[in-house]
Amino acid sequence: FSAAGIGQLEIAGDVIASARISTSAEDGTFGLHALAFRTEEAVGSGEDPVFIAHLRNDGLLRSNIGFAETSGFPAQAVVEINDQRFTVHVPPFGHRQIPIDVPGEVLLARVSVEGEGRLLAYGATVDKESRDPIFIPAQRPTRGEAVPLVAHDPVQMTCDR
């Protein structure tokens, strides 16, 4: 199906769900693919915060952060980026996405929750010229060893034309 605007769906059962979100441009379409979150991934009041990495606001890119409430109770996302702190109110089963106004090339958002609700959090960084987005799911801190799935090595990533 096709829809305009912003929102969320709850899908129950043994399924694989994802979304492709796109925008039209002169050269075609640009978009992102986002896997579905599990409601168990939502964070609540008194739990460890989640983090949204690789946000960026400069001449080339802009970033948004978003929240989806999953339990049917209101919640407040308490967001800390650098020295700024702000709260985003999310109604029961609601969804909010807002631009972040903090400038910088490498921004990390720390998100904790107040209230009775539980929130899923994400970021999106958007190329200002092409409008091509990157989806960034919130992460809990990794305990123990971790291996990144993608790494950049400038020596290995060169291409001669």
Side-chain angles (χ1 to χ4, degrees), residues 1-9 19-22 95-97 122:
F1 66 92
S2 178
I6 194 165
Q8 64 198 38
L9 296 173
R20 181 177 188 292
I21 303 161
S22 64
H95 185 259
R96 296 279 313 274
Q97 179 176 295
Y122 66 90

Side-chain angles (χ1 to χ4, degrees), residues 27-151:
D27 299 353
T29 62
F30 294 96
L32 59 86
H33 176 259
L35 295 174
F37 286 95
R38 298 181 53 81
T39 55
E40 296 85 28
E41 296 176 70
V43 64
S45 179
E47 296 179 15
D48 289 340
V50 294
F51 295 86
I52 306 169
H54 303 291
L55 298 171
R56 184 171 166 177
N57 277 327
D58 59 20
L60 300 174
L61 302 168
R62 64 177 177 81
S63 292
N64 300 322
I65 53 175
F67 309 96
E69 200 291 312
T70 64
S71 66
F73 296 98
Q76 294 78 43
V78 179
V79 181
E80 296 175 56
I81 303 173
N82 293 348
D83 61 350
Q84 294 191 26
R85 179 183 165 111
F86 56 93
T87 301
V88 180
H89 300 280
V90 185
F93 296 118
H95 185 259
R96 296 279 313 274
Q97 179 176 295
I98 62 167
I100 59 170
D101 295 326
V102 181
E105 290 187 9
V106 181
L107 301 173
L108 176 69
R110 178 186 190 274
V111 179
S112 57
V113 177
E114 294 178 351
E116 296 178 70
R118 299 187 62 76
L119 296 177
L120 296 168
Y122 66 90
T125 297
V126 183
D127 184 295
K128 288 182 177 178
E129 187 175 330
S130 70
R131 299 184 296 177
D132 190 21
I134 299 168
F135 180 74
I136 308 165
Q139 296 179 286
R140 295 182 190 275
T142 302
R143 290 175 176 35
E145 293 184 32
V147 177
L149 297 177
V150 179

